[in-house]
Amino acid sequence: MAHTTFKVGRLTCHALEGGRQHLDGGAMFGVVPKPLWQRRIAPDARNRIPLALRCLLVEHDDGLVLVDTGLGNKEDDRFKDIYGVVNDGANGRTRLEDALAELGHTPADVRWVINTHLHFDHAGGNTYRDAAGQVGVTFPQARYVVQQGELEFARHTNERTAASYRAPNFDSVSFTLVDGAAEPLPGIRCLPTPGHVPYHQSVLVESGGERACFLADLVPTSAHLPLPWIMGYDLEPLVTLESRRRLYARAQAEGWLLVFEHDADVVAGRLGRDGNAFGLVDPVRAG
Ligand SMILES: [Zn+2]
């Protein structure tokens, strides 16, 4: 199965498996020494660890809401080798589209797309490349939402940020921009969680007093739950630290379900303790 279904109050949600990428374990764990991180996620011969490309689909009264869009189909073989991308669809253009089809949906059924940020592994599926090489919008009936600051940041890259932002993923998209905390539709909230990039957002789903949070790159896998286990990719790691501290306080007080975009095994779980550090309880594993 390419999806895992759960309820948040009366909202039905699906974690959709969009395939895999494989990134350098050292870069993924920042200053954490390898003897510690390799106990949690074992690296391959190229020192890379497997990562999911998981998206969240919410069946909302206002239509289907998709949070992040995976990596898409526009990249060439060289790129896919470097990042260890495995996301070709069996029937659709990508595994994400296969997962949608498994639930009986086509890309045209999606009414809202919310991007947590515009890195290629989160927004690559915003658009697709057809057989003639033309780029089109993948979800033609959807309103695409992103932080205004993130769109500007993506359009003005420097030597450090350029590799992650690829213009075909966002140039041809007409975005609805939000600025800071926002509720683009009832019960779907954008929570600014800066650090990985300055305008990164997580997405909180609320219904009937229950809450689930799609963390995106604030906490990419459950192995990253301890506060200082921050990716080397993060542009402002000390800002990530404070974003986590703030979010964890609410997640604990309100019993949030935490959904992990990049964890190859664990789809979701709740915040608990692992000795003195934060850890995971009640894990939901990919099927
Ligand atoms: Zn990212």
Side-chain angles (χ1 to χ4, degrees):
M1 295 286 266
H3 68 271
T4 304
T5 299
F6 55 94
K7 282 273 205 183
V8 179
R10 48 175 210 84
L11 293 176
T12 300
C13 302
H14 310 275
L16 304 182
E17 301 299 326
R20 287 272 188 274
Q21 63 181 343
H22 296 77
L23 299 183
D24 183 83
M28 278 303 293
F29 285 102
V31 299
V32 178
K34 185 173 179 185
L36 295 184
W37 64 252
Q38 71 178 359
R39 273 190 248 151
R40 294 177 179 242
I41 305 181
D44 67 14
R46 290 161 74 175
N47 206 45
R48 305 178 310 179
I49 60 170
L51 297 163
L53 296 165
R54 187 171 293 118
C55 305
L56 179 67
L57 185 74
V58 183
E59 296 183 16
H60 192 279
D61 294 341
D62 291 359
L64 289 178
V65 181
L66 179 64
V67 184
D68 279 350
T69 61
L71 202 140
N73 78 336
K74 300 186 299 300
E75 305 299 345
D76 63 18
D77 288 346
R78 182 170 174 273
F79 179 99
K80 290 169 85 169
D81 178 59
I82 291 170
Y83 296 103
V85 178
V86 183
N87 78 334
D88 289 348
N91 301 303
R93 292 176 290 227
T94 58
R95 285 211 188 162
L96 176 63
E97 292 186 22
D98 285 357
L100 274 175
E102 205 173 81
L103 291 163
H105 301 303
T106 69
D109 296 334
V110 174
R111 287 294 186 274
W112 296 80
V113 170
I114 302 176
N115 285 132
T116 61
H117 60 305
L118 296 173
H119 281 172
F120 62 74
D121 54 332
H122 297 256
N126 283 358
T127 55
Y128 71 98
R129 195 183 302 283
D130 67 18
Q134 297 296 316
V135 172
V137 171
T138 307
F139 305 97
Q141 306 296 328
R143 187 188 287 220
Y144 284 68
V145 178
V146 75
Q147 288 285 328
Q148 178 174 358
E150 172 64 4
L151 184 58
E152 285 165 18
F153 194 74
R155 284 175 172 164
H156 300 94
T157 56
N158 58 33
E159 294 80 356
R160 172 73 164 81
T161 63
S164 299
Y165 289 112
R166 300 170 75 82
N169 295 334
F170 47 83
D171 261 3
S172 58
V173 176
S174 161
F175 283 101
T176 297
L177 299 173
V178 292
D179 185 9
E183 189 176 7
L185 58 170
I188 309 289
R189 293 178 188 276
C190 298
L191 303 183
T193 46
H196 176 65
V197 292
Y199 298 93
H200 183 275
Q201 61 183 356
S202 302
V203 175
L204 184 66
V205 179
E206 298 179 305
S207 171
E210 295 183 354
R211 294 177 180 86
C213 188
F214 189 77
L215 297 165
D217 279 346
L218 177 68
V219 186
T221 77
S222 59
H224 289 83
L225 280 170
L227 284 171
W229 288 49
I230 292 169
M231 289 190 279
Y233 295 113
D234 284 21
L235 299 178
E236 300 171 304
L238 296 180
V239 177
T240 300
L241 181 69
E242 299 311 321
S243 289
R244 285 183 177 184
R245 207 190 303 280
R246 249 193 333 271
L247 184 137
Y248 286 6
R250 282 194 66 191
Q252 247 181 342
E254 299 173 357
W256 294 3
L257 184 70
L258 304 177
V259 183
F260 300 100
E261 185 156 6
H262 291 309
D263 196 307
D265 299 317
V266 178
V267 172
R270 291 178 206 277
L271 193 63
R273 305 297 296 195
D274 181 1
N276 289 324
F278 283 103
L280 187 77
V281 293
D282 304 333
V284 177
R285 293 183 196 281

